[in-house]
Amino acid sequence: MSITLTDQDKNTLRTAAYGAVSLMAAADMAGKPHRAATEGSLALAAATGVIGHVLAAKIKDIDMNVKSVAELADRTLPALTASMALLKAQDPEEADNFRSTVMIAVESAARTQRGGLSPTTADMIRKITAALDAA
């Protein structure tokens, strides 16, 4: 199946994926947020398929300049749901690829924590997963 993405669609996909990694870094604020962000971003860079091409584009259309984690979540969580709805409508396999890519990035960011997941990180993973599954 062919997939057609507008520039706005691509922006939404990038905002969703990189926003999820940013939320994971924010959830690990007391630990190593830079390492969580790096691990998650590297996982996104390894994406394949249409999603891999969209995430690899060096476009600076992702606005993560926010004042709080709540504001970041207000942008990211709806973008995750919208991305899944868009992709499911056009190409269910690419929707699965996007979900898998984001979850691998989230898991990569989470593995930087020592001694298991903090309650904050576990809750953030739950929120990201719920947003992906809401579509």
Side-chain angles (χ1 to χ4, degrees):
M1 180 181 262
S2 165
I3 187 166
T4 304
L5 299 171
T6 65
D7 288 343
Q8 181 60 43
D9 295 339
K10 293 174 185 177
N11 180 18
T12 300
L13 292 167
R14 284 190 285 269
T15 297
Y18 285 101
V21 169
S22 296
L23 285 173
M24 291 301 295
D28 190 25
M29 215 174 290
K32 297 182 179 183
H34 288 90
R35 187 160 176 230
T38 298
E39 292 292 327
S41 294
L42 288 172
L44 293 178
T48 59
V50 173
I51 297 307
H53 291 286
V54 170
L55 296 179
K58 302 294 183 207
I59 299 187
K60 301 193 185 240
D61 60 357
I62 307 168
D63 181 12
M64 294 293 160
N65 187 17
V66 295
K67 296 179 181 175
S68 67
V69 176
E71 189 178 344
L72 178 60
D74 288 346
R75 288 185 191 181
T76 302
L77 299 176
L80 286 164
T81 303
S83 295
M84 287 300 294
L86 167 75
L87 292 170
K88 280 181 179 179
Q90 290 199 36
D91 187 341
E93 287 182 21
E94 207 54 46
D96 290 343
N97 183 27
F98 178 77
R99 187 184 190 292
S100 175
T101 297
V102 170
M103 290 309 299
I104 288 168
V106 165
E107 291 166 12
S108 295
R111 75 183 180 100
T112 64
Q113 292 188 353
R114 291 187 182 154
L117 293 179
S118 71
T120 307
T121 300
D123 186 51
M124 191 62 72
I125 292 170
R126 182 194 57 75
K127 289 175 183 176
I128 291 168
T129 303
L132 286 167
D133 294 343

